[in-house]
Amino acid sequence: MESLYELVLNRAFESRLSYGSGGQKLSVGQFVKVPLGKGDKATKAFIVGTSHQDTEAKYKIKNVLPVNENNFCLPKEYLQWASWISQYYIYPLGQVLSHFIPPTHKSPKIKPSPPWKINQPNIKYTDEQKKTLSEISVDEGFKVHLIHGVTGSGKTEIYLDLFEQCLSQGKQVLCLVPEISLTPQLFDRFETRFGKGSIACIHSQMTPRQKTNFWWDMQEGRKQILLGARSA
């Protein structure tokens, strides 16, 4: 019984497609191209699992197109995260995964980032801020919290404190803003708190090279905080 690979496409449907390896060594999480449709159009796809071909099947199994050493492969934990996002937001897995790969190839000249260092400000939290922080900090795992307040009421300071808690646990932080115009002021504020050169930033006004460099900075642990719009 031949082993097959289950793949998803960057398309608005959830169905998985089965392809053979063509004698190649493939891995779950790998980004590949496959022949699709009657015209066998080369189409981008992601390997998300394995299966076996039914020996009695009368249909022909196509093979994944030849891959090279530069074919990107997502770590297992990233694939699990993408699957969770797909289910939580009811969004096709293939389209979710399309945002998990860097826009272009990795640059051989990546500058090292300075180690992040928290600059502890002398802040006096209000009673509401203290209550909000204590309630959020108690929860373990994934939870949804809505912090409601007018501009200048101290919401951002709560976020920064929570980020600090995550960093102290060896985790990374993703901060999404509703519009690109907010990223410059938040970027400066975050660097003031966590150190210059410690923040990665991704949004649609950046070049593919800039996005890719920041992507690898986060992936390889050179930066711990990612700030950006929804594309981040």
Side-chain angles (χ1 to χ4, degrees):
M1 186 175 292
E2 182 183 356
S3 295
L4 301 178
Y5 289 89
E6 296 182 354
L7 296 93
V8 293
L9 311 178
N10 182 14
R11 303 288 179 86
F13 64 89
E14 189 58 43
S15 299
R16 298 186 177 192
L17 304 179
S18 296
Y19 281 83
S21 66
Q24 304 177 92
K25 184 178 180 180
L26 303 174
S27 303
V28 173
Q30 197 165 6
F31 176 56
V32 297
K33 288 186 177 182
V34 296
L36 185 67
K38 294 181 179 180
D40 287 339
K41 181 180 179 180
T43 305
K44 296 178 181 179
F46 301 88
I47 301 176
V48 295
T50 58
S51 62
H52 295 284
Q53 183 177 2
D54 185 349
T55 55
E56 298 181 0
K58 297 181 180 180
Y59 50 84
K60 180 182 178 182
I61 296 293
K62 298 181 180 181
N63 292 321
V64 172
L65 295 177
V67 300
N68 56 54
E69 60 182 10
N70 294 322
N71 277 65
F72 186 76
C73 187
L74 277 177
K76 181 180 179 180
E77 58 270 22
Y78 277 52
L79 188 57
Q80 292 173 341
W81 183 27
S83 297
W84 179 88
I85 291 175
S86 174
Q87 295 173 21
Y88 185 79
Y89 290 103
I90 316 176
Y91 197 68
L93 179 57
Q95 292 189 307
V96 171
L97 286 169
S98 69
H99 297 286
F100 271 64
I101 57 174
T104 184
H105 63 278
K106 183 179 179 180
S107 172
K109 298 179 180 180
I110 297 180
K111 297 180 180 179
S113 299
W116 61 271
K117 180 181 179 181
I118 297 176
N119 300 312
Q120 192 64 260
N122 185 19
I123 296 174
K124 293 183 178 180
Y125 292 110
T126 65
D127 291 340
E128 286 190 349
Q129 286 176 314
K130 292 177 181 177
K131 183 175 182 292
T132 301
L133 283 168
S134 64
E135 291 181 353
I136 294 177
S137 300
V138 167
D139 286 330
E140 295 183 1
F142 175 75
K143 297 286 183 180
V144 177
H145 297 273
L146 174 62
I147 303 176
H148 179 68
V150 298
T151 301
S153 60
K155 299 187 299 296
T156 302
E157 195 56 48
I158 292 175
Y159 303 148
L160 292 174
D161 193 285
L162 293 170
F163 294 170
E164 185 177 326
Q165 292 181 34
C166 287
L167 294 175
S168 66
Q169 297 169 19
K171 299 178 181 179
Q172 292 180 310
V173 174
L174 170 62
C175 178
L176 299 180
V177 296
E179 54 185 271
I180 296 175
S181 62
L182 295 175
T183 55
Q185 65 189 67
L186 286 176
F187 189 88
D188 291 340
R189 186 166 180 181
F190 286 12
E191 280 203 330
T192 300
R193 181 69 171 266
F194 299 104
K196 188 173 180 61
S198 62
I199 313 297
C201 184
I202 294 179
H203 54 69
S204 60
Q205 298 301 311
M206 302 177 73
T207 65
R209 169 51 54 207
Q210 289 174 317
K211 292 179 182 179
T212 298
N213 288 347
F214 276 137
W215 193 98
W216 281 107
D217 281 341
M218 292 297 296
Q219 165 71 12
E220 297 181 343
R222 284 182 293 276
K223 298 184 187 296
Q224 304 302 321
I225 300 176
L226 175 60
L227 169 68
R230 287 179 300 173
S231 59

